[in-house]
Amino acid sequence: MSCPLCSTDGGLVVARTPQFRVVRVLDEPAHPAFYRLIWNDHVAEFSDLSVTDRHACMDAVTEIERALRSLLAPTKVNLASLGNVVPHLHWHVIARFDGDAQFPAPIWAAARREAVPVLARPLEAVDAAIAHSLASATRTRD
Amino acid sequence: MSCPLCSTDGGLVVARTPQFRVVRVLDEPAHPAFYRLIWNDHVAEFSDLSVTDRHACMDAVTEIERALRSLLAPTKVNLASLGNVVPHLHWHVIARFDGDAQFPAPIWAAARREAVPVLARPLEAVDAAIAHSLASATRTRD
């Protein structure tokens, strides 16, 4: 029983804390502004976390959402923790744009068109903003 | 511009607080154990909430998840806040079962089979557990 989120980072790591890492997802070309918060410990469900960890997790998800909103002005941000295939707690944080491949359907629905959003800023700027905000949040909690 | 989550409850209400209500979704027959937490105020994104409200929101999502796990023992719980069609903050909390119409794909993917999960307990028992846990949580915070 090997878990891919225990044995690999699961994407391009943009931030790490003792509890979780945030990665940029590289294998969803139709949705380039797609990040995941991956809990480091192998737990399946959000409710397996302590209340302190749950709040820290969602505070970080919020920081990712804010970086996306601030730099890319998406039509909507989508948040999801599914884990049916890989039951190791992770949160999808996805910038959605009017006219992207499935909009307004979820990204897991059939594509309605071939389209890749043109982003207002390079993804490296988003990566840096996420890393900075999570480092700041961690320092504030010290 | 009328918002259906401002003008209607959005489902069968099982709990109400000053900040949000929890409804059982009645129009997804393939996924009967499907609840939504709907924020009462019309805000679009999770990060539009204050930190206190975000924590209260996810504490309640956690209570819904726990009721589903405790009473129905689903294969997995899926959590999602999308809102592309109705940009009024709401959280989907869905009990997923091995062999349900899309499992292990998200419920928004094409159906792989015709199947409706047979639940271990009646949904009214889940409704009551959610109502009880949220009432208890509200009292504890007083």
Side-chain angles (χ1 to χ4, degrees), chain A residues 10-28:
Chain A
L12 175 69
V13 176
V14 301
R16 283 186 199 277
T17 79
Q19 297 157 304
F20 58 81
R21 71 262 188 194
V22 176
V23 305
R24 172 146 54 86
V25 174
L26 300 177
D27 55 359
E28 292 278 355

mmCIF file of all heavy atoms in Angstrom, chain A residues 10-28:
data_model
loop_
_atom_site.group_PDB
_atom_site.id
_atom_site.type_symbol
_atom_site.label_atom_id
_atom_site.label_comp_id
_atom_site.label_asym_id
_atom_site.label_seq_id
_atom_site.Cartn_x
_atom_site.Cartn_y
_atom_site.Cartn_z
ATOM 1 N N GLY A 10 4.197 15.628 -4.775
ATOM 2 C CA GLY A 10 2.894 15.774 -5.426
ATOM 3 C C GLY A 10 2.755 17.007 -6.299
ATOM 4 O O GLY A 10 1.640 17.373 -6.671
ATOM 5 N N GLY A 11 3.864 17.627 -6.674
ATOM 6 C CA GLY A 11 3.814 18.822 -7.532
ATOM 7 C C GLY A 11 5.021 19.689 -7.242
ATOM 8 O O GLY A 11 5.928 19.288 -6.495
ATOM 9 N N LEU A 12 5.018 20.867 -7.826
ATOM 10 C CA LEU A 12 6.116 21.823 -7.630
ATOM 11 C C LEU A 12 5.919 22.515 -6.278
ATOM 12 O O LEU A 12 4.958 23.284 -6.107
ATOM 13 C CB LEU A 12 6.085 22.855 -8.759
ATOM 14 C CG LEU A 12 7.091 23.991 -8.657
ATOM 15 C CD1 LEU A 12 8.513 23.470 -8.873
ATOM 16 C CD2 LEU A 12 6.755 25.083 -9.676
ATOM 17 N N VAL A 13 6.792 22.241 -5.335
ATOM 18 C CA VAL A 13 6.598 22.789 -3.984
ATOM 19 C C VAL A 13 6.870 24.294 -3.972
ATOM 20 O O VAL A 13 7.925 24.744 -4.413
ATOM 21 C CB VAL A 13 7.519 22.082 -2.978
ATOM 22 C CG1 VAL A 13 7.389 22.724 -1.597
ATOM 23 C CG2 VAL A 13 7.171 20.595 -2.896
ATOM 24 N N VAL A 14 5.889 25.058 -3.490
ATOM 25 C CA VAL A 14 6.081 26.510 -3.376
ATOM 26 C C VAL A 14 6.188 26.945 -1.911
ATOM 27 O O VAL A 14 6.676 28.046 -1.634
ATOM 28 C CB VAL A 14 4.973 27.311 -4.096
ATOM 29 C CG1 VAL A 14 4.933 26.949 -5.586
ATOM 30 C CG2 VAL A 14 3.609 27.113 -3.471
ATOM 31 N N ALA A 15 5.757 26.112 -0.984
ATOM 32 C CA ALA A 15 5.887 26.448 0.443
ATOM 33 C C ALA A 15 5.828 25.160 1.251
ATOM 34 O O ALA A 15 5.141 24.200 0.866
ATOM 35 C CB ALA A 15 4.755 27.384 0.881
ATOM 36 N N ARG A 16 6.551 25.156 2.340
ATOM 37 C CA ARG A 16 6.522 24.007 3.258
ATOM 38 C C ARG A 16 6.395 24.527 4.676
ATOM 39 O O ARG A 16 7.033 25.512 5.037
ATOM 40 C CB ARG A 16 7.846 23.230 3.221
ATOM 41 C CG ARG A 16 8.060 22.336 2.065
ATOM 42 C CD ARG A 16 9.373 21.536 2.266
ATOM 43 N NE ARG A 16 9.862 21.007 1.019
ATOM 44 C CZ ARG A 16 9.437 19.874 0.457
ATOM 45 N NH1 ARG A 16 8.523 19.144 1.060
ATOM 46 N NH2 ARG A 16 9.927 19.471 -0.695
ATOM 47 N N THR A 17 5.617 23.840 5.476
ATOM 48 C CA THR A 17 5.578 24.084 6.917
ATOM 49 C C THR A 17 5.724 22.711 7.579
ATOM 50 O O THR A 17 5.669 21.684 6.896
ATOM 51 C CB THR A 17 4.253 24.747 7.361
ATOM 52 O OG1 THR A 17 3.241 23.746 7.447
ATOM 53 C CG2 THR A 17 3.813 25.859 6.419
ATOM 54 N N PRO A 18 5.877 22.662 8.896
ATOM 55 C CA PRO A 18 5.936 21.351 9.542
ATOM 56 C C PRO A 18 4.672 20.517 9.335
ATOM 57 O O PRO A 18 4.719 19.289 9.389
ATOM 58 C CB PRO A 18 6.127 21.700 11.025
ATOM 59 C CG PRO A 18 6.776 23.043 11.007
ATOM 60 C CD PRO A 18 6.168 23.758 9.834
ATOM 61 N N GLN A 19 3.540 21.168 9.050
ATOM 62 C CA GLN A 19 2.268 20.447 8.940
ATOM 63 C C GLN A 19 1.882 20.069 7.522
ATOM 64 O O GLN A 19 1.188 19.079 7.309
ATOM 65 C CB GLN A 19 1.142 21.314 9.506
ATOM 66 C CG GLN A 19 1.270 21.632 10.981
ATOM 67 C CD GLN A 19 0.497 22.879 11.325
ATOM 68 O OE1 GLN A 19 0.708 23.947 10.731
ATOM 69 N NE2 GLN A 19 -0.425 22.741 12.270
ATOM 70 N N PHE A 20 2.272 20.890 6.549
ATOM 71 C CA PHE A 20 1.783 20.692 5.182
ATOM 72 C C PHE A 20 2.747 21.331 4.193
ATOM 73 O O PHE A 20 3.629 22.103 4.579
ATOM 74 C CB PHE A 20 0.380 21.311 5.022
ATOM 75 C CG PHE A 20 0.306 22.779 5.331
ATOM 76 C CD1 PHE A 20 0.693 23.742 4.398
ATOM 77 C CD2 PHE A 20 -0.108 23.224 6.584
ATOM 78 C CE1 PHE A 20 0.646 25.096 4.704
ATOM 79 C CE2 PHE A 20 -0.149 24.586 6.890
ATOM 80 C CZ PHE A 20 0.232 25.521 5.950
ATOM 81 N N ARG A 21 2.564 20.991 2.914
ATOM 82 C CA ARG A 21 3.231 21.743 1.857
ATOM 83 C C ARG A 21 2.182 22.215 0.872
ATOM 84 O O ARG A 21 1.075 21.662 0.804
ATOM 85 C CB ARG A 21 4.316 20.931 1.153
ATOM 86 C CG ARG A 21 3.841 19.788 0.258
ATOM 87 C CD ARG A 21 3.917 18.469 0.973
ATOM 88 N NE ARG A 21 3.654 17.322 0.097
ATOM 89 C CZ ARG A 21 3.412 16.098 0.566
ATOM 90 N NH1 ARG A 21 3.331 15.862 1.863
ATOM 91 N NH2 ARG A 21 3.201 15.100 -0.272
ATOM 92 N N VAL A 22 2.552 23.267 0.120
ATOM 93 C CA VAL A 22 1.697 23.768 -0.952
ATOM 94 C C VAL A 22 2.452 23.542 -2.256
ATOM 95 O O VAL A 22 3.626 23.905 -2.370
ATOM 96 C CB VAL A 22 1.377 25.263 -0.770
ATOM 97 C CG1 VAL A 22 0.570 25.789 -1.955
ATOM 98 C CG2 VAL A 22 0.631 25.482 0.539
ATOM 99 N N VAL A 23 1.769 22.914 -3.196
ATOM 100 C CA VAL A 23 2.401 22.641 -4.490
ATOM 101 C C VAL A 23 1.572 23.279 -5.598
ATOM 102 O O VAL A 23 0.355 23.445 -5.477
ATOM 103 C CB VAL A 23 2.544 21.121 -4.762
ATOM 104 C CG1 VAL A 23 3.295 20.428 -3.631
ATOM 105 C CG2 VAL A 23 1.193 20.446 -5.003
ATOM 106 N N ARG A 24 2.272 23.641 -6.681
ATOM 107 C CA ARG A 24 1.576 24.011 -7.918
ATOM 108 C C ARG A 24 1.417 22.743 -8.737
ATOM 109 O O ARG A 24 2.364 21.981 -8.902
ATOM 110 C CB ARG A 24 2.344 25.079 -8.687
ATOM 111 C CG ARG A 24 1.753 25.352 -10.059
ATOM 112 C CD ARG A 24 1.864 26.808 -10.500
ATOM 113 N NE ARG A 24 3.196 27.343 -10.467
ATOM 114 C CZ ARG A 24 4.109 27.239 -11.476
ATOM 115 N NH1 ARG A 24 3.815 26.556 -12.574
ATOM 116 N NH2 ARG A 24 5.299 27.811 -11.355
ATOM 117 N N VAL A 25 0.209 22.529 -9.227
ATOM 118 C CA VAL A 25 -0.125 21.323 -9.988
ATOM 119 C C VAL A 25 0.358 21.526 -11.421
ATOM 120 O O VAL A 25 0.036 22.528 -12.059
ATOM 121 C CB VAL A 25 -1.648 21.073 -9.933
ATOM 122 C CG1 VAL A 25 -2.052 19.925 -10.836
ATOM 123 C CG2 VAL A 25 -2.068 20.818 -8.482
ATOM 124 N N LEU A 26 1.135 20.583 -11.922
ATOM 125 C CA LEU A 26 1.763 20.742 -13.243
ATOM 126 C C LEU A 26 1.090 19.892 -14.320
ATOM 127 O O LEU A 26 1.396 20.047 -15.500
ATOM 128 C CB LEU A 26 3.244 20.367 -13.154
ATOM 129 C CG LEU A 26 4.064 21.220 -12.173
ATOM 130 C CD1 LEU A 26 5.491 20.708 -12.111
ATOM 131 C CD2 LEU A 26 4.024 22.690 -12.567
ATOM 132 N N ASP A 27 0.197 19.026 -13.924
ATOM 133 C CA ASP A 27 -0.364 18.089 -14.905
ATOM 134 C C ASP A 27 -1.827 18.368 -15.230
ATOM 135 O O ASP A 27 -2.581 17.464 -15.602
ATOM 136 C CB ASP A 27 -0.178 16.643 -14.433
ATOM 137 C CG ASP A 27 -0.747 16.403 -13.045
ATOM 138 O OD1 ASP A 27 -1.268 17.366 -12.450
ATOM 139 O OD2 ASP A 27 -0.679 15.257 -12.559
ATOM 140 N N GLU A 28 -2.231 19.628 -15.097
ATOM 141 C CA GLU A 28 -3.585 20.031 -15.496
ATOM 142 C C GLU A 28 -3.456 21.231 -16.430
ATOM 143 O O GLU A 28 -3.758 22.379 -16.057
ATOM 144 C CB GLU A 28 -4.420 20.418 -14.262
ATOM 145 C CG GLU A 28 -4.740 19.260 -13.334
ATOM 146 C CD GLU A 28 -5.933 18.432 -13.794
ATOM 147 O OE1 GLU A 28 -6.603 18.797 -14.791
ATOM 148 O OE2 GLU A 28 -6.192 17.403 -13.129
#
